[in-house]
């Protein structure tokens, strides 16, 4: 992903990065919500009213979101509208949720091409995968490029689509992996060195 971003330097584009997590594989739309909150400047310390104001500012001013989509996003982000708690996301039609999220992404590419990188989609929840499938359908008709990383055993049923190009990367050799780990865990100011057992464990994961 970083190499591709470097090739885009100097050309007009927008980059968004979603990071899936093994700790949130059952959290609906976790990578989208986490990224949205960061873009909107929403923090855990913000009260419900402040969170709603920040979310509406991003949705309306930046994405020109329609009023009927605001309700869906209130449910997605668990934000009250008019002092009323929104319906649980699970109580809304699945298609309405997918439509609301894909609309935000499409609008992000309205003025400039968008590169959306999604890391570790083998940990993505089912709704996030449905959003990505919908966006993949847009490739060719929208200014959107998806770059997704996944383990080879993820079993993606749409990876054979003609619009999807799969690049398989070989596992790292032990020497290369050990050098990588050594660079990342070397002691610095305020951080002591990792024990040898932990370094060996990280090297094993990478090979």
């Amino acid at each position: 992903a970083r190499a591709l971003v470097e090739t885009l330097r100097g050309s007009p584009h927008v980059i968004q990065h979603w990071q899936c997590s093994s700790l949130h594989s059952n959290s609906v739309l976790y990578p989208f919500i986490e990224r949205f909150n960061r873009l909107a400047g929403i923090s855990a310390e913000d009260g419900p009213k402040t969170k709603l104001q920040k979310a509406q500012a991003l949705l309306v001013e930046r994405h020109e979101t329609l009023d009927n989509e605001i309700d869906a996003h209130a449910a997605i982000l668990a934000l009250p509208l008019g002092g009323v708690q929104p319906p649980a996301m699970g109580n809304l039609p699945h298609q309405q949720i997918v439509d609301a999220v894909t609309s935000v992404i499409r609008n992000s590419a309205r003025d400039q091409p968008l590169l959306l990188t999604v890391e570790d989609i083998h940990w993505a929840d089912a709704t996030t995968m449905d959003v990505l499938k919908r966006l993949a359908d847009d490739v060719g008709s929208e200014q959107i490029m998806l770059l997704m990383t996944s383990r080879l055993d993820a079993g993606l049923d749409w990876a054979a689509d003609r619009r999807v190009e799969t690049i398989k990367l070989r596992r790292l050799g032990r020497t290369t992996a050990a050098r990588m780990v050594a660079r990342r865990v070397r002691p610095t100011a305020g951080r002591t060195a990792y024990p040898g057992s932990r370094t060996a464990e990280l090297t094993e994961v990478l090979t």
Side-chain angles (χ1 to χ4, degrees):
R2 290 180 181 175
L4 178 58
V5 169
E6 284 298 317
T7 66
L8 297 175
R9 191 179 298 277
S11 62
H13 64 279
V14 178
I15 297 175
Q16 288 191 27
H17 179 72
W18 294 6
Q19 177 64 61
C20 303
S21 167
S22 60
L23 301 177
H24 300 279
S25 57
N26 293 319
S27 300
V28 179
L29 292 173
Y30 167 78
F32 168 77
I33 294 172
E34 190 272 341
R35 176 62 178 173
F36 181 93
N37 285 340
R38 281 200 290 164
L39 286 175
I42 295 174
S43 67
E45 292 73 29
D46 291 334
K49 183 177 180 180
T50 300
K51 289 181 179 179
L52 180 61
Q53 289 173 340
K54 290 181 177 180
Q56 286 179 320
L58 181 62
L59 288 170
V60 176
E61 295 176 14
R62 189 165 182 174
H63 299 295
E64 297 182 0
T65 300
L66 302 175
D67 290 342
N68 63 338
E69 293 176 343
I70 292 291
D71 293 338
H73 282 289
I76 293 170
L77 301 169
L79 298 175
L81 281 175
V84 179
Q85 193 66 22
M89 195 176 356
N91 293 333
L92 290 180
H94 180 74
Q95 199 60 49
Q96 184 179 357
I97 296 296
V98 173
D99 288 345
V101 176
T102 53
S103 177
V104 168
I105 304 305
R106 287 168 179 160
N107 285 335
S108 297
R110 184 180 61 245
D111 298 322
Q112 295 187 89
L114 168 69
L115 170 62
L116 175 59
T117 66
V118 189
E119 300 277 2
D120 299 321
I121 62 173
H122 49 273
W123 287 325
D125 62 278
T127 303
T128 294
M129 291 300 291
D130 286 343
V131 169
L132 294 176
K133 290 176 186 177
R134 176 77 69 80
L135 291 173
D137 289 339
D138 289 342
V139 172
S141 60
E142 300 281 350
Q143 298 186 107
I144 297 174
M145 180 178 184
L146 295 176
L147 176 61
M148 300 172 283
T149 65
S150 171
R151 291 178 179 171
L152 292 177
D153 57 357
L156 302 177
D157 59 0
W158 49 290
D161 190 294
R162 62 181 177 80
R163 292 161 296 190
V164 177
E165 180 177 353
T166 301
I167 302 175
K168 295 182 179 181
L169 303 179
R170 291 178 296 176
R171 299 186 73 86
L172 295 174
R174 181 167 292 278
T175 301
T176 302
R179 288 173 181 167
M180 244 172 133
V181 171
R183 285 198 299 267
R184 298 292 294 180
V185 303
R186 65 176 179 266
T188 59
R191 187 179 73 183
T192 58
Y194 274 38
S197 59
R198 179 57 174 159
T199 300
E201 180 183 342
L202 291 172
T203 301
E204 187 66 29
V205 169
L206 292 173
T207 57

